[in-house]
Amino acid sequence: MPRLAPLLFLLPIAVSLGSVSLYPILNGLWLSFTNTSLVTQEHDFIGLENYAQLLGDDLFWNAWRHTVYFTVVSTLAETILGLVMALLLVEHFAGRSIVRAAMLVPWAMPTVVTSKMFGWLFDGQYGVVNWALRSSGLIAENINWYGSIDHAMTTIIIADVWKTAPFMALLLMAGLQTIPKSLIEAARMDGAGPVATFIHVRLPLLMSTLLIAGMFRALDAFRVFDLVYVLTGGGPADATETLSTLSYKTLFSALQFGYGSAMATAMFITEALIAIGFGFFIMRKMRAPR
Amino acid sequence: MIYERNRLQTILIYCGGLLILFWSAAPFLWQLSTSFQNDVELTAATPSFIPSPLTFDHYANIFVEKSFQLYLRNSLIVAGFTTLFCLAVGAMAGFALSRLDIKGRFGILAAILSVSMFPQIAIVGPLYLLASDLALLDTYSGLVITYVALGVPLVTWVMFGYFDTLPREIDEAARMDGCSTVGLFWRIILPISAPSLVTTGLLAFIAAWNEFMFALAFTSNIDHQTVPVGIANFTNLHYIPWGDIAAASIVVTIPLVLLVLLFQRHIIDGLTQGAVKE
């Protein structure tokens, strides 16, 4: 019994993750080598045909480019904005706890609600953002934000930055608070200004937190689904189609489970590469002598 | 702080704080205001920020015409059971990894966490086929089983972190008194971990309450669809009912916001412990 007890405690999680995460991943890999379709009811092994088709599929590469663009721009914007917010929030000021509490609102809200909310804020006709920009003289005519090919992706990025930058700030703030105050005070004594203190003391010590938080954010941004699916549905004219939305449509609208699985697997591989890339930097950072 | 801020720095800090407050709260407050305004005011050339006249029509609409209470019921059932199972499964795993003699515990922990990093789109197709074979489509069970697996890695990680802070002397004293492993877990460790269980449960609840993609794929009618699916489908034939959408958004978000504000300290601690640990 004593030998067995630890395993019994781990049994439920093993069953749960095994059946709902591991099995579908392997099954998805298998499906990607088949022509499984709920329309034609075929289910035959076709080797690498799906992947060959993927390489020449303009829609796939279009979605791939959008996803990479979205991931890079939103991760960068969220990290930089989050860092600025975090630096401000480690300073003591009256009402700081209220600000910190308010920052949890975007994080806690369902993404579908965020999506609809930005749909209303950025509405091309009655949106309050257009009104504000017009009243302040920044634009002369209403902009058709997510209804136009030129601005749809930008609108989605703004919504994503709104939702996740505050949370990024809270993570980075926790990282900043672990930096010993004595180090910062010593730098001040030596006559370093706030900017020099930031660049030479805080930033180097914050680097591993920044990289880890950035990695999680990038992985999350790469699989963006709710925001796009609800706000634009991938349109207009595929201008905001991402890998998740395209895979979802291939699976559940076209009912091509084989081809859709190949697409999801390709996405999975790209995600793994992102993780490995970040992991490489994180390892190097951690090994570097302090 | 040893050094003094000068006046300019103080002003900058307060301006910055106000900006963050505006950034985080303003869109939500606008949604709140929208939900109390008539469509006539909402489509006026100049938006009015304070609703006048104040109307409850949108709230009446979503409950009477759109049966929003059914979505709420479905979401409560799904998220509630998900939270219970997540806590049970995750606390057991976290306990075993933290207190029991297990070889390669950090390997197992890393494996559990890395499973949660798979893109969900990669499992939704195969899971759909599986759920269809097992007649779990359009059921609460299908969603709960899925959400437990999605939420449990985080719950395990946070609970493990908490259990690991409890002194080992507790275990030794309990063993001395003849406590079994199950007894140690059930009668000693779990009761003293109640605060942590509550906040971790809250995280699991929020995740399940907000989930959209699996709910969209696995349910096809109002009997089992959850709130996010309901809101996503809020459209009218001729126009977008922004007022109704705003009212629905407020109804589903207010409870979350209140819970989060109530537990904010613990949530921030719980969520950030992983990122800053080295």
Side-chain angles (χ1 to χ4, degrees), chain B residues 149-268:
Chain B
L150 297 182
V152 84
L154 178 74
V155 171
T156 305
W157 174 243
V158 178
M159 288 317 296
F160 169 83
Y162 182 77
F163 290 149
D164 237 29
T165 62
L166 301 174
R168 306 273 149 187
E169 287 77 23
I170 298 178
D171 301 35
E172 284 158 24
R175 298 279 192 198
M176 223 68 106
D177 292 340
C179 218
S180 67
T181 305
V182 177
L184 172 71
F185 173 64
W186 186 250
R187 278 185 291 144
I188 296 170
I189 299 288
L190 272 192
I192 54 178
S193 309
S196 188
L197 282 170
V198 170
T199 44
T200 315
L202 188 61
L203 297 182
F205 185 88
I206 292 177
W209 183 265
N210 294 354
E211 204 287 328
F212 175 60
M213 189 172 70
F214 289 95
L216 184 68
F218 291 0
T219 55
S220 56
N221 60 62
I222 197 167
D223 289 335
H224 294 95
Q225 280 173 336
T226 55
V227 162
V229 182
I231 293 185
N233 290 341
F234 259 29
T235 40
N236 237 318
L237 219 47
H238 305 292
Y239 71 106
I240 309 172
W242 290 119
D244 290 4
I245 291 173
S249 306
I250 295 301
V251 172
V252 300
T253 312
I254 286 279
L256 292 189
V257 168
L258 291 180
L259 283 172
V260 164
L261 295 188
L262 208 60
F263 291 100
Q264 55 144 322
R265 189 70 262 156
H266 303 283
I267 290 180
I268 295 175

